[in-house]
């Protein structure tokens, strides 16, 4: 079973996303802030990370930079899942090595699962 | 600016009230005072100059004194303008922050509803599904309204990013028609798209122009009464592309024509016909078309229908 780490400070989102991803056959774990997220990524080596940008303690971009700068975690695909939608944020995320950029308000849960499947083929 | 607007500028009391400034800080009032001072001082200097020609120091002192007064007034005017600009900037920033903050709880709501509606948690009855649909529609409406508000706040703070490139307006329109198709068919609307052949590509920001076409399509579909016709035409006129969308819907009363591109404006018969809508769509469309170097307009008759059109330049600027 593939493992997905959710780094997301909204517990309600963690719950709904976690539920849908579990039903789609993924194992999920979640972190409520950037620091814990980074630590969990290093420890549990998930197959994919869903990363919010506005996070307590450590901003999503910092988390992404550290993940990509660390040999052990550099290969884990990261999809940014946020409500920020400016071109500068999108470009920065891609430049830092994000595999995808999804604006929460524009996607349904089903579409998000679909996107994850594209990045994480069976 | 027409003649009426110029006259309006001289109504200093209502101008001061409009910007929420005391009279002595209102730019229009201060400009008027400055004008009067300049005229009076020129005449006084001339009169005094003629009478006391022997003592030029007095004349110099009076001119100096008046210059100081004018300088002080000019400073106050500049400050008032700064205050007005600052207030407007803060308003747009406020809208932007609030909108972003509102999006998170709305995403929570939207996804929780989606999960419940999917029946994956518990099976739900027809009756429950009906109410879930109401919840979903309303959370979608709020999401759309917030997106519109964000675009408006970007337009007003001149932060609307424009990434111009060459693209086909025909393809963009065809793509959007596909998106609207299920709704169009369900409403028994006959939508026809007739572009001229071999239309060249245009140079603009496709994501922004998409918003314009989307808004015009959305309006046409919304305000067609029952089974109606929508005709979309596209053609070349010298160096521009003309997009036209004609519907036989509710139309716009003549008295509302001048307000149609105003922010938050919704025509009374539109409100009667369709309660949804923020009154921001056409304002956004106009701002984008203006910024892309095109023109937008319409003709409409109540109960007969409307034709909205816009133009965009073909060549790179």
């Amino acid at each position: 079973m593939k493992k997905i780490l959710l780094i997301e400070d909204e517990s309600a989102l963690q719950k709904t996303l976690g539920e849908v991803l579990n039903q789609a056959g993924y194992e999920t774990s979640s972190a409520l802030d950037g620091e814990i997220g980074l630590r969990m990524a290093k420890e549990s080596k998930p197959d994919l990370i869903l990363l919010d940008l506005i996070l307590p303690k450590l901003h999503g971009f910092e988390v992404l930079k550290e993940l990509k700068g660390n040999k052990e975690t550099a290969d884990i695909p990261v999809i940014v899942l946020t409500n920020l939608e400016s071109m500068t944020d999108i470009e920065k995320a891609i430049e830092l090595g994000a595999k995808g950029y999804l604006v929460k308000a524009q996607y349904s849960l089903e579409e998000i699962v679909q996107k994850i499947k594209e990045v994480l083929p069976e | 600016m027409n003649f009426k607007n110029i006259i309006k500028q001289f109504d200093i009391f209502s101008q001061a009230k409009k910007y929420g400034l005391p009279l002595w800080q209102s730019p229009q009032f201060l400009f008027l005072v400055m004008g009067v001072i300049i005229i009076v001082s020129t005449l006084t200097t001339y009169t005094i100059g003629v009478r006391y020609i022997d003592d030029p120091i007095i004349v110099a002192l009076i001119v100096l004194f008046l210059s100081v007064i004018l300088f002080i007034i000019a400073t106050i005017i500049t400050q008032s303008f700064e205050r007005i600009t600052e207030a407007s900037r803060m308003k747009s920033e406020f809208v932007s922050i609030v909108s972003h903050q509102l999006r998170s709880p709305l995403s929570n709501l939207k996804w929780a509803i989606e999960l419940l509606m999917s029946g994956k948690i518990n099976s739900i009855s027809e009756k429950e599904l009906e109410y879930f649909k109401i919840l979903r529609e309303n959370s979608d409406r709020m999401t759309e309204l917030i997106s519109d508000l964000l675009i408006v706040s970007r337009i007003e703070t001149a932060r609307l990013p424009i990434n111009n490139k060459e693209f086909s307006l025909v393809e963009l329109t065809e793509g959007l028609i596909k998106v609207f198709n299920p709704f169009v068919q369900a409403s028994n609307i006959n939508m026809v798209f007739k572009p001229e052949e071999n239309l060249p590509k245009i140079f603009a920001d496709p994501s922004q122009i998409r918003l314009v076409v989307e808004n015009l399509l959305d309006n046409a579909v919304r305000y067609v009464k029952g089974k109606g016709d929508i005709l979309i035409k596209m053609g070349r006129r010298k160096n521009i592309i003309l997009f036209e969308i004609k519907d036989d819907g509710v139309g716009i009363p003549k008295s509302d024509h001048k307000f149609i591109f105003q922010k938050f404006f919704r025509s009374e018969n539109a409100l009667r016909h369709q309660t949804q809508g923020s009154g921001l769509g056409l304002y956004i469309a106009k701002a984008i078309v203006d910024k892309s170097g095109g023109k937008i307009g319409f003709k409409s008759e109540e109960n007969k229908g409307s034709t909205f059109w816009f133009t965009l330049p073909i060549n790179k600027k």
Side-chain angles (χ1 to χ4, degrees):
Chain A
M1 201 184 252
K2 300 240 162 115
K3 285 186 290 184
I4 297 179
L5 170 64
L6 311 172
I7 311 182
E8 164 67 65
D9 62 333
E10 291 258 351
S11 53
L13 277 194
Q14 275 192 0
K15 210 166 175 172
T16 41
L17 257 180
E19 178 76 37
V20 169
L21 290 174
N22 289 341
Q23 286 185 358
Y26 297 105
E27 189 186 318
T28 56
S29 53
S30 24
L32 276 166
D33 68 52
E35 266 179 24
I36 299 175
L38 197 58
R39 204 178 60 226
M40 283 176 72
K42 284 174 187 164
E43 283 168 10
S44 67
K45 307 264 169 49
D47 297 292
L48 182 124
I49 297 172
L50 281 179
L51 176 67
D52 193 4
L53 286 182
I54 301 176
L55 288 168
K57 293 188 184 166
L58 203 59
H59 191 277
F61 281 142
E62 294 300 316
V63 177
L64 186 57
K65 213 187 279 175
E66 295 241 0
L67 284 171
K68 293 296 160 189
N70 188 322
K71 257 191 204 162
E72 291 170 53
T73 52
D75 293 333
I76 305 174
V78 178
I79 295 179
V80 172
L81 185 61
T82 176
N83 261 326
L84 300 175
E85 55 168 359
S86 77
M87 264 329 269
T88 23
D89 286 328
I90 298 173
E91 279 164 8
K92 191 169 178 188
I94 302 299
E95 197 184 295
L96 286 172
K99 243 324 203 268
Y101 193 104
L102 307 177
V103 179
K104 288 174 191 169
Q106 293 168 2
Y107 287 87
S108 67
L109 286 168
E110 209 176 310
E111 287 165 330
I112 290 170
V113 173
Q114 203 50 47
K115 291 277 168 192
I116 291 171
K117 278 187 182 156
E118 282 167 24
V119 179
L120 261 191
E122 297 292 312
Chain B
M1 192 185 275
N2 58 28
F3 187 66
K4 218 171 163 186
N5 282 341
I6 298 172
I7 296 292
K8 231 182 187 174
Q9 290 287 317
F10 288 103
D11 185 2
I12 46 176
F13 290 102
S14 66
Q15 290 289 339
K17 211 169 152 191
K18 184 168 123 194
Y19 294 118
L21 291 169
L23 191 62
W24 64 275
Q25 273 190 339
S26 148
Q28 280 84 0
F29 173 71
L30 290 169
F31 271 123
L32 215 64
V33 172
M34 254 172 91
V36 172
I37 292 181
I38 289 171
I39 294 166
V40 172
S41 64
T42 315
L43 291 176
T44 321
T45 316
Y46 172 75
T47 319
I48 294 173
V50 170
R51 283 198 188 171
Y52 301 95
I53 196 79
D54 298 339
D55 197 356
I57 291 176
I58 295 179
V59 182
L61 278 176
I62 291 171
V63 173
L64 189 70
F65 174 71
L66 289 171
S67 306
V68 169
I69 292 182
L70 288 178
F71 181 73
I72 292 169
I73 295 177
T75 314
I76 300 175
I77 291 178
T78 319
Q79 278 173 350
S80 320
F81 274 126
E82 271 170 13
R83 266 183 60 183
I84 292 168
T85 330
E86 177 67 9
S88 153
R89 193 189 59 78
M90 274 171 66
K91 183 197 79 186
S92 291
E93 204 174 88
F94 174 76
V95 172
S96 168
I97 291 169
V98 169
S99 311
H100 268 131
Q101 297 301 328
L102 276 173
R103 276 184 145 187
S104 294
L106 265 175
S107 305
N108 294 349
L109 193 67
K110 187 178 86 166
W111 288 354
I113 296 168
E114 191 191 330
L115 193 58
L116 286 169
M117 281 179 82
S118 71
K120 284 176 182 165
I121 307 261
N122 251 332
S123 62
I124 46 170
S125 69
E126 280 287 311
K127 194 90 191 153
E128 282 168 331
L129 191 66
E130 220 172 275
Y131 286 100
F132 279 136
K133 274 185 186 158
I134 295 176
L135 283 175
R136 186 181 62 188
E137 271 161 28
N138 281 284
S139 84
D140 285 349
R141 260 174 75 184
M142 277 197 274
T143 312
E144 273 166 35
L145 178 61
I146 288 169
S147 293
D148 283 354
L149 279 173
L150 273 170
I151 297 170
V152 168
S153 101
R154 283 191 200 125
I155 289 170
E156 291 185 345
T157 46
R159 282 189 293 128
L160 189 70
I162 297 273
N163 299 309
N164 287 345
K165 58 176 163 199
E166 263 187 355
F167 68 96
S168 156
L169 189 59
V170 177
E171 280 170 28
L172 184 141
T173 309
E174 280 168 347
L176 276 169
I177 290 174
K178 265 186 205 151
V179 176
F180 277 90
N181 219 11
F183 188 74
V184 167
Q185 284 183 345
S187 316
N188 272 326
I189 295 169
N190 176 32
M191 192 190 266
V192 181
F193 179 36
K194 275 189 188 161
E196 278 175 16
E197 273 177 40
N198 301 322
L199 282 175
K201 290 186 170 178
I202 53 164
F203 189 71
D205 184 333
S207 64
Q208 308 288 351
I209 301 304
R210 193 187 155 86
L211 286 175
V212 177
V213 179
E214 200 177 4
N215 273 318
L216 295 183
L217 275 173
D218 192 61
N219 279 350
V221 171
R222 267 173 206 253
Y223 298 117
V224 164
K225 286 182 295 185
K227 189 178 179 302
D229 293 306
I230 296 174
L231 174 65
I232 307 163
K233 286 199 284 191
M234 207 185 284
R236 182 178 184 158
R237 305 281 181 278
K238 286 181 190 165
N239 289 324
I240 53 168
I241 293 269
L242 173 69
F243 175 102
E244 221 177 53
I245 179 164
K246 183 175 187 289
D247 68 61
D248 56 0
V250 292
I252 305 157
K254 200 155 180 37
S255 56
D256 285 345
H257 280 200
K258 55 181 180 235
F259 305 116
I260 215 71
F261 290 109
Q262 271 182 14
K263 202 168 33 175
F264 295 116
F265 178 77
R266 298 198 63 212
S267 183
E268 209 175 293
N269 70 330
L271 281 167
R272 265 203 310 273
H273 187 71
Q274 176 67 257
T275 48
Q276 293 188 14
S278 61
L280 291 171
L282 287 174
Y283 171 79
I284 291 172
K286 183 169 175 8
I288 292 171
V289 172
D290 284 349
K291 216 170 170 177
S292 311
K295 282 189 180 129
I296 188 167
F298 70 99
K299 48 181 193 281
S300 181
E301 212 175 314
E302 196 172 5
N303 296 323
K304 289 213 170 139
S306 311
T307 304
F308 276 83
W309 58 265
F310 70 85
T311 62
L312 285 172
I314 293 168
N315 300 328
K316 284 184 188 185
K317 282 215 156 170

